Amino acid sequence: MAVTDPLVGSVLDGRYRVEGPLAHGGMSTVYTGTDLRLERTVAIKVMAPALALDPAFVDRFTREARASARLSHINVVSVYDQGEDAGRVFLVMELVSGRTLRDLLHEQRRLAPDLAVSLLEPILAALSAAHRAGLVHRDVKPENVLLADDGVVKVADFGLARAVAQAAVTTATGMVLGTVAYVAPEQVSRGTTDPRTDVYSAGILLYEMLTGYAPYSGDNPISVAYRHVHDDVPPPSAIVPGLPDELDAITMRATRREPGARPADAGAFLAELYDVRTDLGLRRVPVPPRPTDPSAAEDPGDTGDDDTSDDTGRDDDTDRTTVLGATSPIGVDRPSPPAPTPTADMAPTVASAAARPAAAAVPPPPPTGPPPAARPAPRAGDEAPGDAMSADGADPDEPSTTDEQHRRRRRFLIGLLVILLIGALAAGAGWWFGSGRYTSVPKLTRLTISQAQNAARTSNVDLQIMPSRMHSESVPPGAVAWTHPSIGARVVRGTTVQARLSAGPERYTLPTSIVGGTKSAAVALLHTLPLATTYRPAYNETVPNDHVVSVTPTPGTAMRRDQQVVVVVSRGPKPFGVPKVTGMPADHALAVLHQANLKTTTTQKFSTSVDKGSVVSEQPSSGTVVRGDTVALVVSKGPDYVTVPKVTGLSVPDATQRLKEAGFAVEVKVYFGGALGLVAQQDPNADQLAVRGSTVQIVVV
């Protein structure tokens, strides 16, 4: 018993009629539908009820859908509208007739290098347009790359990936299970994303196209995510020997674990991929056509006797209705559900034909030529012409027989000419609608603007020169460096081909004012340049602390993007221990300090313990100093001799005062009770020299 989808036949937001399911998934269901206002066929993605009940998700989803709707690019699946109807959150998108990159990988397992590069270029062009608009896809994978039947490659689910990634969705929804093979290390370890996150996923995509396998597999998503964080993606040639080194190099560069080691965004990745294509001489390959469905009816172009189709467009044997094809007008035929049905999260807007269109019967051509000539009336007695036939069918009347043969031959020739004319017209129409209205994008790279315009006119395409230029290592400045669609792509005559001119090699000149300036000034200058700068401290005897000693390469050198620059910053002179010069003769001590590039100051003082002229002390006396520091020396003047004053005959107080004023200490000895109170004797004697501070002994009687 068939289960009826309650949405089928309903009209969302009073505008979008849901026709039938196209794909199902854990987070959404995709339906074919009709925009009743514009009368065009669309894809309608309806979010799962669990997501629609989360107000935070709905708010994020609305903002991201609006941002994605502003993104207009030939390689991006267009978002037409977004809305909510009775709690059902939905997205209205362009309906693409074709298949996904995953389908192509299932068919061919792995792709030839020229096909892989030809498919990756429009993918990167779409991501580059998003990055310029400030959008990051966050979920680049084969299921989100659509291969339209008209040969255009489109990337789907911009904005939706971000909204789902930020929603409170558990692993059970399948979100991680579906994308873990392409997740960037920083998404796993830090939960952060930027354009280099998409570059990583695109690099994984290139690896899978070249080898037929994603680089990492495991028993569960966590083990695969762990390998993204801790393992380097191996070169594709490890799986497919013989692949060019250039493809190995660009794949590994795009999948570096450290974001700073990857191309800055999809545009930079595309430029590097173009250089690889040029170096390897890879041709541009169109998207392979879908394989013929073995269950389809005979070729629609076969109108032989065994054709059983009538002029209603239905096949009498299979009773299949015509489905939307690559050239079907929008709003006329609606696609039937594809077989097999992909999941909604794998192919959100792809309509794969379930059956080939039945061949309409061609009615026979109308009678042509003049009416038969009137035969002469029979004479009396003659038999009627129909009765006068011989046994072998010949008319016995010879003249009448000859005329009839001529008439038959004339009718035959006229009918043959009409048939040939109709055949020629049909062939011409078939040629026009089949291949005649198509042309190939000519090789425009390395051509000047006038040369490219002439080549475009010759190939019946319009050329649009984009205002922004792109850097190229191989294309001279002013010549065409990039086209979209890519060279060799099959397009309808009159298609506009966008081209960007080369700005020449991407070079950045190292400022010459860095050396000798402060580190902060160097940081301010180099921060504006896309270079990989490293600052290394080093002791230097001549350059002041925190000033730039040197830069490698030499200032003024033209540098490539992300090229390594090393800036050596001075820490000042290297410190060393204070030389020990205490006790040395002063001239010797000064020589030692000057040899160590130290400055000195000298003072003198009397000393009874250090010989005159020798160093009594130094400051600092321990620790470390650097070149140019000052050491203060104290040099001995020797003992301080003073003349001993005469104090005999004086009273004890007077004698004591005089000796202390002269700088001596006083020792008093009393004899005979000191009845007189006078100094009778002193030692040292008066007028002798004694060291200042020494003791003078006086005898009192």
Side-chain angles (χ1 to χ4, degrees):
M1 179 176 178
V3 178
T4 303
D5 190 324
L7 272 181
V8 174
S10 63
V11 178
L12 298 178
D13 203 20
R15 176 174 178 178
Y16 303 104
R17 183 174 62 222
V18 179
E19 305 291 357
L22 180 63
H24 302 276
M27 292 180 292
S28 62
T29 300
V30 177
Y31 300 86
T32 57
T34 300
D35 183 343
L36 300 177
R37 184 180 303 170
L38 300 180
E39 296 184 352
R40 67 178 172 187
T41 304
V42 295
I44 304 174
K45 173 171 283 192
V46 180
M47 296 299 106
L51 292 175
L53 292 176
D54 182 355
F57 167 77
V58 173
D59 182 60
R60 272 191 301 269
F61 176 77
T62 301
R63 292 197 306 269
E64 294 301 327
R66 289 173 180 169
S68 299
R70 294 195 297 269
L71 182 59
S72 177
H73 192 275
I74 190 174
N75 297 119
V76 175
V77 174
S78 299
V79 175
Y80 297 144
D81 197 3
Q82 174 275 330
E84 182 178 359
D85 188 320
R88 294 170 295 201
V89 180
F90 64 90
L91 193 68
V92 181
M93 298 177 291
E94 170 188 6
L95 180 66
V96 180
S97 177
R99 55 184 168 167
T100 67
L101 178 57
R102 175 65 67 202
D103 298 328
L104 180 62
L105 290 173
H106 283 163
E107 294 164 11
Q108 300 194 11
R109 193 54 187 169
R110 65 180 178 87
L111 309 183
D114 51 1
L115 177 56
V117 172
S118 296
L119 292 178
L120 186 61
E121 283 179 336
I123 295 171
L124 292 177
L127 295 174
S128 178
H131 294 169
R132 290 195 299 270
L135 292 175
V136 180
H137 191 287
R138 294 172 172 81
D139 196 21
V140 178
K141 57 185 177 181
E143 290 79 4
N144 279 336
V145 177
L146 313 185
L147 310 180
D149 287 338
D150 60 2
V152 178
V153 178
K154 291 180 177 285
V155 179
D157 272 357
F158 280 93
L160 178 64
R162 177 173 181 173
V164 173
Q166 292 182 351
V169 182
T170 65
T171 307
T173 64
M175 180 183 68
V176 175
L177 292 174
T179 61
V180 71
Y182 310 92
V183 68
E186 61 270 20
Q187 286 179 280
V188 177
S189 61
R190 299 191 294 272
T192 60
T193 57
D194 61 21
R196 296 170 296 185
T197 303
D198 288 348
V199 168
Y200 182 91
S201 300
I204 298 292
L205 207 60
L206 176 59
Y207 180 97
E208 184 172 6
M209 288 192 290
L210 292 172
T211 65
Y213 301 92
Y216 302 133
S217 61
D219 296 333
N220 54 67
I222 295 177
S223 64
V224 177
Y226 181 88
R227 295 196 63 188
H228 279 289
V229 175
H230 297 284
D231 293 351
D232 291 325
V233 173
S237 61
I239 301 295
V240 183
L243 286 176
D245 293 340
E246 291 84 350
L247 287 177
D248 277 350
I250 195 170
T251 303
M252 296 172 68
R253 171 164 159 72
T255 55
R256 295 294 187 195
R257 286 182 287 162
E258 178 56 45
R262 305 173 203 151
D265 55 24
F269 191 3
L270 180 60
E272 294 185 19
L273 187 67
Y274 174 83
D275 291 339
V276 170
R277 172 191 286 284
T278 303
D279 294 341
L280 296 179
L282 297 178
R283 62 192 181 96
R284 297 187 184 273
V285 182
V287 176
R290 282 190 287 178
T292 302
D293 189 338
S295 65
E298 289 185 40
D299 188 282
D302 184 358
T303 58
D305 294 338
D306 56 347
D307 185 276
T308 59
S309 299
D310 58 23
D311 59 358
T312 65
R314 304 180 62 148
D315 189 301
D316 291 339
D317 295 332
T318 61
D319 197 30
R320 288 190 293 264
T321 57
T322 303
V323 298
L324 178 65
T327 59
S328 300
I330 295 177
V332 177
D333 295 321
R334 298 190 182 97
S336 299
T341 303
T343 65
D345 306 318
M346 290 171 58
T349 57
V350 177
S352 299
R356 298 180 61 179
V362 180
T368 59
R375 295 175 63 90
R379 294 188 300 270
D382 291 344
E383 296 179 353
D387 298 328
M389 301 296 291
S390 63
D392 59 359
D395 192 338
D397 187 350
E398 184 65 27
S400 298
T401 301
T402 302
D403 291 343
E404 182 65 24
Q405 290 175 345
H406 289 168
R407 284 193 295 270
R408 289 176 179 175
R409 185 179 296 110
R410 184 167 56 252
R411 287 197 300 269
F412 172 76
L413 292 176
I414 292 173
L416 179 61
L417 288 175
V418 171
I419 292 173
L420 292 176
L421 178 60
I422 293 174
L425 291 174
W431 172 82
W432 173 253
F433 288 105
S435 62
R437 65 174 179 151
Y438 291 98
T439 184
S440 297
V441 177
K443 185 179 186 306
L444 303 177
T445 52
R446 296 180 175 271
L447 300 183
T448 63
I449 295 178
S450 60
Q451 291 172 336
Q453 289 172 337
N454 291 335
R457 280 193 295 268
T458 302
S459 297
N460 296 302
V461 296
D462 295 331
L463 183 65
Q464 179 187 10
I465 303 297
M466 305 301 289
S468 61
R469 298 195 175 195
M470 61 182 293
H471 292 286
S472 174
E473 297 293 325
S474 57
V475 179
V480 176
W482 171 88
T483 63
H484 181 80
S486 56
I487 294 173
R490 185 169 180 257
V491 296
V492 176
R493 293 171 183 265
T495 294
T496 298
V497 176
Q498 296 177 332
R500 292 178 66 186
L501 302 181
S502 170
E506 185 179 19
R507 295 292 185 271
Y508 300 91
T509 302
L510 275 180
T512 57
S513 59
I514 297 178
V515 177
T518 63
K519 178 183 177 181
S520 60
V523 170
L525 286 172
L526 295 177
H527 180 71
T528 61
L529 303 178
L531 303 173
T533 305
T534 301
Y535 296 90
R536 294 180 181 173
Y539 293 111
N540 191 277
E541 299 298 320
T542 58
V543 178
N545 181 46
D546 207 40
H547 284 62
V548 176
V549 177
S550 63
V551 178
T552 305
T554 306
T557 302
M559 307 282 291
R560 291 174 179 250
R561 175 181 287 271
D562 295 329
Q563 190 171 343
Q564 185 71 31
V565 177
V566 178
V567 179
V568 178
V569 180
S570 174
R571 295 179 61 184
K574 185 176 182 179
F576 54 89
V578 179
K580 299 300 182 182
V581 296
T582 302
M584 291 184 182
D587 55 352
H588 186 193
L590 291 173
V592 170
L593 296 175
H594 291 164
Q595 183 67 28
N597 292 316
L598 296 173
K599 298 176 182 178
T600 59
T601 60
T602 303
T603 58
Q604 293 183 333
K605 65 176 289 186
F606 292 104
S607 174
T608 58
S609 60
V610 178
D611 295 339
K612 181 179 181 180
S614 294
V615 177
V616 177
S617 64
E618 58 183 305
Q619 186 62 36
S621 59
S622 61
T624 60
V625 291
V626 298
R627 180 191 59 80
D629 283 355
T630 298
V631 177
L633 299 180
V634 176
V635 179
S636 173
K637 294 170 60 176
D640 185 9
Y641 289 100
V642 181
T643 301
V644 179
K646 179 180 179 182
V647 294
T648 54
L650 299 178
S651 64
V652 174
D654 291 342
T656 300
Q657 180 179 355
R658 181 175 293 184
L659 289 173
K660 287 184 176 181
E661 288 176 352
F664 296 101
V666 179
E667 180 184 356
V668 179
K669 289 187 176 183
V670 178
Y671 289 92
F672 307 110
L676 297 178
L678 299 175
V679 176
Q681 187 178 355
Q682 67 180 62
D683 183 25
N685 294 324
D687 298 328
Q688 289 186 352
L689 293 176
V691 176
R692 184 186 299 274
S694 59
T695 301
V696 176
Q697 187 181 75
I698 59 175
V699 177
V700 178
V701 294

